[in-house]
Amino acid sequence: MQYLIIAYDNENALERRLESREAHMEGARKLMAEGKIINAGALIEDDVMVGSTLFIDFESDDELDEWLENEPYVKNNVWNMDEFQIVPMKLLPKQ
């Protein structure tokens, strides 16, 4: 199932974001190679990273939950999980 993830950062999370970024990127690159992250990027306000968007494709909700349990931005309290959005969607196929 494909999803759009919209994840704004907690207030004052920039330092934690930068500390967790390498581990986050390593995991994201692995999932991109597996086709599980289709695309991703940082949300920017006033030239500062304030969140993330991801297009993901996981086989099940359990797989999605497992990713979130191990995601460095979740574990290190970067993303504001109270406002975290998971939107089921279907991307237009590439031609």
Side-chain angles (χ1 to χ4, degrees), residues 4-28:
L4 166 63
I5 302 293
I6 303 170
Y8 278 95
D9 292 355
N10 284 303
E11 286 190 38
N12 302 314
L14 183 59
E15 186 175 320
R16 289 189 308 279
R17 172 181 268 277
L18 296 175
E19 289 170 358
S20 305
R21 185 167 164 69
E22 187 174 328
H24 166 76
M25 295 299 294
E26 181 179 321

Side-chain angles (χ1 to χ4, degrees), residues 1-64:
M1 179 85 181
Q2 294 178 337
Y3 301 92
L4 166 63
I5 302 293
I6 303 170
Y8 278 95
D9 292 355
N10 284 303
E11 286 190 38
N12 302 314
L14 183 59
E15 186 175 320
R16 289 189 308 279
R17 172 181 268 277
L18 296 175
E19 289 170 358
S20 305
R21 185 167 164 69
E22 187 174 328
H24 166 76
M25 295 299 294
E26 181 179 321
R29 285 186 190 103
K30 179 181 180 288
L31 291 173
M32 288 181 93
E34 296 172 0
K36 297 188 185 298
I37 292 180
I38 299 164
N39 209 333
L43 295 170
I44 307 292
E45 290 179 5
D46 298 323
D47 295 324
V48 176
M49 291 181 284
V50 297
S52 307
T53 59
L54 301 97
F55 291 105
I56 61 172
D57 189 359
F58 288 113
E59 293 291 324
S60 67
D61 288 344
D62 289 340
E63 190 176 21
L64 172 61

